[in-house]
């Protein structure tokens, strides 16, 4: 997800490493702090793969700074990762929030909807954090108030997210229909 964050933030505008680190930390830092020892090797990997370009510019003080930007291959890679997101990218909440932060860059409403449908499908699967053998336990079946709290909060969060997903999917379906109508009218 670090690489996705790098690609996502650089999609909008070139940034120097310090600013990039601040933005990534603001997005994921409370869960997964981003240190220089993690960020800069990831930048090097992406640069070596031809996805990033580095330009040295004069900084506001005397020291020059390296400004990073996406190459065309980097833009394509971000869009590919967004469109093909599945598995942990849509099931792990922290990865999902990172993915969701950049899904707007995928400008095809049908492709955006496909990603959202994968998340909704995951949320609709019966699950629990706690089991009695093979039986998933609900909050009502637990006597431990703290575990009840975990399941109660998770249920409320899932309900709110599922509602948002359905509403957004309906909006995206309208956008796809509108684009289809425009295409049919412009075809001779």
């Amino acid at each position: 997800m670090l690489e996705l964050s790098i690609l996502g933030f650089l999609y909008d505008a070139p940034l120097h490493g310090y600013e990039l680190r601040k933005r990534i930390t603001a997005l994921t830092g409370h869960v997964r702090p981003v240190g220089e020892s993690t960020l800069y090797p990831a930048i090097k990997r992406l640069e070596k793969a031809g996805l990033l370009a580095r330009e040295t510019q004069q900084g506001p003080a005397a020291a020059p700074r390296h400004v990073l930007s996406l190459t065309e291959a980097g833009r394509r890679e971000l869009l590919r990762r967004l469109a093909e997101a599945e598995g942990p990218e849509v099931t792990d909440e922290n990865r999902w929030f990172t993915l969701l932060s950049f899904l707007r860059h995928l400008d095809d409403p049908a492709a955006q909807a496909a990603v959202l449908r994968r998340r909704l499908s995951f949320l609709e699967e019966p699950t629990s954090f706690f089991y009695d053998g093979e039986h998933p336990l609900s909050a009502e079946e637990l006597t431990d108030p703290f575990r009840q709290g975990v399941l109660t909060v998770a249920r409320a969060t899932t309900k709110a997210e599922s509602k948002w997903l359905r509403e957004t999917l309906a909006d995206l379906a309208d956008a796809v229909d509108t684009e289809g109508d425009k295409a049919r009218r412009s075809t001779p």
Side-chain angles (χ1 to χ4, degrees):
M1 292 286 78
L2 176 60
E3 289 184 0
L4 181 69
S5 296
I6 293 167
L7 295 172
F9 281 120
L10 293 177
Y11 190 91
D12 286 329
L15 298 168
H16 57 86
Y18 176 74
E19 183 62 30
L20 180 60
R21 182 173 173 228
K22 277 184 14 184
R23 292 182 187 196
I24 293 171
T25 298
L27 179 62
T28 63
H30 66 285
V31 177
R32 296 185 177 132
V34 178
E36 291 180 15
S37 63
T38 306
L39 177 62
Y40 290 104
I43 288 171
K44 291 265 189 209
R45 282 192 307 274
L46 293 171
E47 197 174 10
K48 186 176 180 180
L51 304 178
L52 300 182
R54 180 187 309 250
E55 178 185 333
T56 303
Q57 295 180 350
Q58 187 62 35
R65 60 184 183 176
H66 300 283
V67 176
L68 302 164
S69 61
L70 280 186
T71 63
E72 189 54 41
R75 294 176 86 72
R76 285 191 308 271
E77 178 63 13
L78 173 65
L79 298 177
R80 183 194 67 76
R81 288 182 185 202
L82 292 171
E84 296 176 5
E86 59 184 1
E89 286 86 18
V90 296
T91 61
D92 177 87
E93 186 173 276
N94 298 316
R95 290 179 180 207
W96 170 245
F97 285 149
T98 300
L99 176 75
L100 196 55
S101 296
F102 302 111
L103 196 57
R104 67 187 171 89
H105 295 313
L106 192 58
D107 60 2
D108 176 9
Q112 291 171 331
V115 174
L116 297 185
R117 279 193 297 277
R118 289 193 286 275
R119 175 66 176 184
L120 184 58
S121 176
F122 162 72
L123 292 178
E124 290 174 337
E125 293 175 15
T127 189
S128 179
F129 296 108
F130 311 108
Y131 289 81
D132 180 10
E134 296 291 318
H135 172 69
L137 296 172
S138 67
E140 296 76 19
E141 295 173 295
L142 294 169
T143 57
D144 178 338
F146 306 106
R147 286 188 170 192
Q148 284 177 333
V150 168
L151 293 180
T152 300
V153 169
R155 181 186 301 153
T157 302
T158 297
K159 182 178 178 182
E161 184 179 354
S162 296
K163 180 180 184 287
W164 174 83
L165 284 165
R166 286 186 187 90
E167 290 169 354
T168 304
L169 283 165
D171 291 345
L172 290 171
D174 290 344
V176 169
D177 290 344
T178 301
E179 286 180 7
D181 290 344
K182 287 179 186 176
R184 283 188 290 280
R185 285 193 301 266
S186 67
T187 305

